[in-house]
Amino acid sequence: MALKQTQAITQQQLLQAQLVELPLGQLIDRVNTEMNDNPALEENPSGEDPVTMGADADNPDEDLEGNDDFEAQNEREERQSALDEALASIGRDDEELPVYGPRENYADGKEEEMVYGNVLSFYDQLQQQVIEAPLTERQKVIMDYLIGSLDNDGLLRKSNGAISDELAVYHNIDVTPEEIEDVVRCLHDFDPAGIGARTLQECLMLQVERRDPSELTSLMMKVIGHYYDDFVRKRWDRIVTALHLNREKASILFAELRRLNPKPGASMGEAMEQSMQQITPDFIVESQDDGTVTFSLNQEELPELRVSQSFADTLEEYNNHKEGMSRQMKEALLYTRQKVEAARGFIEAVNTRKRTLATTMKAIINWQHRYFEEGDESLLRPMILKDIAAVTGLDMSTISRVCNSKYAQTRWGIFPLRHFFSDGYTTEDGEELSTREMKVVLRDLIDHEDKRSPLTDDALKELMKEKGFPIARRTVAKYREQMGLPVARMRKIL
């Protein structure tokens, strides 16, 4: 029997991983929920260091006049009140240490109270549907990665094999292409219709399949399924002949076909643009004219936390007087200890999140310093999760969590952290080129081409070479498709 070494994750590590992944708005909501659930956790309005386990907090009033038996009596009454609260809570709260997992009340409509506002980004709207989908935890991880892999049109351009490889590298999860396909089919049920399709044809077919069965729906499915080439080339006469349509039916059919959305992701584009103005960024990046780039964590809305002094004092007192305790007092001691330890663990997890985010952002800025100096997207160097993990010494899964749903405010706008990452392309001479930069140049060439005689992929390849990007024709085609740009004949305007 082979022995397999495994590393168990502790509750504290799980909590830290969860908080690292939360954007600022959701973290604030989580902190407020935790304070409501745990009476030993409270806001620290003075910003002083939280009470630490085993340390005595100094009493600032200890040497003042009037510190007599009356105040001592008040102190005893306060501690007794804390004990009474603990006893009253026994039976209502879980008597075991809390298990830090997803909270159901994150999906109970509280989004209206979050700093994101009522208008959510494309990504966030899909994430809301993930919560409601019948998925296992493993499938939710896959779904989250699929959503993050969608292009701006809402299409999934990656193969199941590529996604399987990336999940293995970035998340240390081994999944089969078949498992991924099961989750992709679930994604196809999300709104808007057509999301997650591999091709434009599949995207349109998914939208038609959502319609109520009818003769018109049947005709639309025939056009998309069997006469798709004629449809995209607007060969209406061929379709009319093939389906034996009269003028009235043809007019209705073509009108409905034109209502299909080739870019389901763009249907949320307006909402995303508005939400970019309402999103509270996690990072504030300042770029000075002398080239200096600094940043700070946005903590404006995040409460400072501390362990309740009354709970800490009560715990210390009962720890010092364990002998002769009644059963009721022991239960109160157990409850108090659990709540204090949970509060301390949560505070430490919040602080760990701050350190992890700061370390990651510092590495990103150092790597992409020229971009943050000038704001020119073409200056983004090739950079992947593995690069930042190597620089920071953090695990790639941690870097992925940091970059998930986080935003940075710069001089040039608010951007998701994923915006600063870019794949690299290595030429035959060993030179590493930025995929992002090449796409910017390629799009510029296509934008300024003569639309009466658009550039073929071969022509684009030669022009890219002249501009210092010696890439193959198939690479040109790949990048063009990733940007949602059609082939030359489809870009032609007479």
Side-chain angles (χ1 to χ4, degrees):
M1 180 177 180
L3 295 177
K4 184 178 181 181
Q5 185 176 6
T6 60
Q7 182 176 2
I9 186 170
T10 65
Q11 289 183 350
Q12 184 66 16
Q13 290 172 327
L14 179 59
L15 173 62
Q16 291 173 358
Q18 290 172 346
L19 296 192
V20 161
E21 191 162 18
L22 293 180
L24 182 57
Q26 293 182 23
L27 176 66
I28 293 171
D29 189 54
R30 176 66 185 270
V31 168
N32 290 330
T33 300
E34 201 71 25
M35 285 194 293
N36 290 333
D37 290 349
N38 188 350
L41 183 67
E42 64 183 19
E43 186 172 356
N44 185 13
S46 64
E48 63 190 17
D49 291 337
V51 179
T52 55
M53 198 69 171
D56 295 327
D58 293 333
N59 185 351
D61 300 323
E62 187 174 17
D63 297 324
L64 297 179
E65 292 184 12
N67 187 16
D68 53 15
D69 293 340
F70 178 75
E71 291 191 3
Q73 176 65 24
N74 280 342
E75 183 178 353
R76 286 194 295 271
E77 290 178 356
E78 288 177 1
R79 295 186 180 183
Q80 184 61 43
S81 176
L83 174 61
D84 292 340
E85 181 182 355
L87 291 172
S89 299
I90 294 176
R92 294 202 309 263
D93 295 309
D94 293 336
E95 293 193 1
E96 297 180 357
L97 284 174
V99 177
Y100 297 108
R103 293 179 175 272
E104 294 181 359
N105 59 347
Y106 285 173
D108 61 3
K110 287 190 176 180
E111 287 78 11
E112 295 183 359
E113 301 175 3
M114 292 170 60
V115 293
Y116 282 169
N118 293 330
V119 184
L120 299 178
S121 70
F122 177 33
Y123 177 86
D124 291 328
Q125 291 182 56
L126 292 176
Q127 283 297 322
Q128 285 185 328
Q129 298 178 67
V130 173
I131 296 173
E132 301 171 358
L135 298 170
T136 65
E137 290 303 316
R138 178 182 175 86
Q139 289 176 322
K140 286 181 180 179
V141 173
I142 299 173
M143 179 66 81
D144 183 69
Y145 198 81
L146 292 179
I147 291 174
S149 299
L150 298 176
D151 64 14
N152 292 335
D153 295 338
L155 303 186
L156 185 63
R157 304 288 187 177
K158 296 180 180 179
S159 67
N160 289 348
I163 294 171
S164 177
D165 293 341
E166 291 171 6
L167 282 169
V169 172
Y170 298 144
H171 291 273
N172 196 28
I173 299 176
D174 292 325
V175 295
T176 65
E178 291 75 21
E179 286 182 279
I180 294 172
E181 188 60 32
D182 288 340
V183 181
V184 170
R185 283 195 289 267
C186 181
L187 178 59
H188 289 167
D189 292 332
F190 283 17
D191 291 323
I195 203 74
R198 304 284 189 175
T199 64
L200 176 58
Q201 182 178 15
E202 184 182 32
C203 174
L204 300 179
M205 184 62 78
L206 289 171
Q207 295 176 51
V208 176
E209 291 173 349
R210 294 273 189 102
R211 298 171 61 97
D212 294 332
S214 66
E215 180 184 4
L216 178 58
T217 300
S218 179
L219 288 173
M220 294 175 73
M221 294 182 71
K222 287 180 181 179
V223 172
I224 303 301
H226 303 292
Y227 304 102
Y228 180 72
D229 191 55
D230 291 329
F231 169 66
V232 296
R233 295 172 185 273
K234 300 181 180 179
R235 298 170 180 165
W236 306 118
D237 54 338
R238 294 191 182 184
I239 297 174
V240 169
T241 301
L243 297 179
H244 308 289
L245 301 174
N246 58 37
R247 179 176 299 179
E248 181 181 3
K249 283 188 176 180
S251 177
I252 295 174
L253 173 62
F254 297 151
E256 288 300 307
L257 287 170
R258 291 190 187 98
R259 292 178 60 186
L260 298 177
N261 186 2
K263 300 179 179 181
S267 67
M268 298 182 181
E270 182 179 353
M272 186 166 69
E273 290 178 7
Q274 295 178 28
S275 68
M276 292 298 285
Q277 304 302 319
Q278 299 186 35
I279 284 176
T280 300
D282 288 86
F283 306 94
I284 309 297
V285 181
E286 300 286 348
S287 300
Q288 309 300 330
D289 293 337
D290 63 359
T292 302
V293 181
T294 60
F295 77 98
S296 60
L297 289 177
N298 185 2
Q299 305 293 325
E300 183 177 348
E301 301 290 336
L302 187 64
E304 287 287 337
L305 299 174
R306 69 179 180 186
V307 176
S308 166
Q309 188 66 56
S310 62
F311 264 76
D313 290 344
T314 300
L315 178 61
E316 181 180 358
E317 180 173 331
Y318 288 118
N319 276 333
N320 294 334
H321 300 85
K322 291 182 180 179
E323 297 296 331
M325 274 191 177
S326 66
R327 179 177 179 180
Q328 187 181 37
M329 299 290 279
K330 290 180 179 179
E331 289 176 348
L333 172 61
L334 175 61
Y335 171 85
T336 303
R337 180 184 295 134
Q338 290 172 346
K339 292 302 180 183
V340 169
E341 290 178 354
R344 296 187 191 285
F346 190 82
I347 292 171
E348 175 57 30
V350 171
N351 291 334
T352 297
R353 178 187 183 275
K354 292 179 184 178
R355 293 191 295 269
T356 303
L357 264 62
T359 299
T360 302
M361 193 67 212
K362 180 180 179 181
I364 291 175
I365 290 176
N366 287 340
W367 195 284
Q368 303 291 13
H369 199 274
R370 287 192 61 200
Y371 167 81
F372 286 103
E373 282 184 282
E374 304 182 30
D376 185 349
E377 190 172 316
S378 66
L379 296 177
L380 285 171
R381 296 171 54 200
M383 182 182 78
I384 58 177
L385 297 176
K386 184 178 180 180
D387 295 326
I388 300 303
V391 171
T392 61
L394 298 171
D395 190 85
M396 273 198 298
S397 63
T398 300
I399 302 299
S400 178
R401 289 187 178 95
V402 171
C403 298
N404 187 29
S405 303
K406 306 294 190 311
Y407 292 84
Q409 178 178 309
T410 72
R411 288 177 61 180
W412 303 279
I414 298 176
F415 299 97
L417 255 59
R418 295 279 184 178
H419 172 80
F420 308 121
F421 288 79
S422 174
D423 292 334
Y425 178 89
T426 305
T427 67
E428 294 180 356
D429 297 331
E431 181 183 4
E432 189 175 28
L433 305 175
S434 168
T435 300
R436 183 75 64 88
E437 185 178 0
M438 286 189 286
K439 287 182 178 180
V440 170
V441 174
L442 181 59
R443 181 179 287 277
D444 185 67
L445 289 173
I446 293 176
D447 286 346
H448 292 88
E449 69 185 355
D450 182 358
K451 297 303 180 184
R452 292 171 298 180
S453 180
L455 297 167
T456 64
D457 288 345
D458 280 316
L460 288 169
K461 181 197 75 170
E462 295 302 323
L463 290 174
M464 290 290 289
K465 183 177 181 180
E466 291 177 10
K467 291 183 175 293
F469 302 101
I471 57 178
R473 184 199 63 79
R474 64 178 179 275
T475 305
V476 169
K478 173 185 175 182
Y479 293 163
R480 175 179 53 73
E481 291 173 358
Q482 288 178 349
M483 292 187 292
L485 300 173
V487 295
R489 66 176 183 274
M490 299 296 294
R491 302 198 304 271
K492 187 173 183 179
I493 299 177
L494 300 177

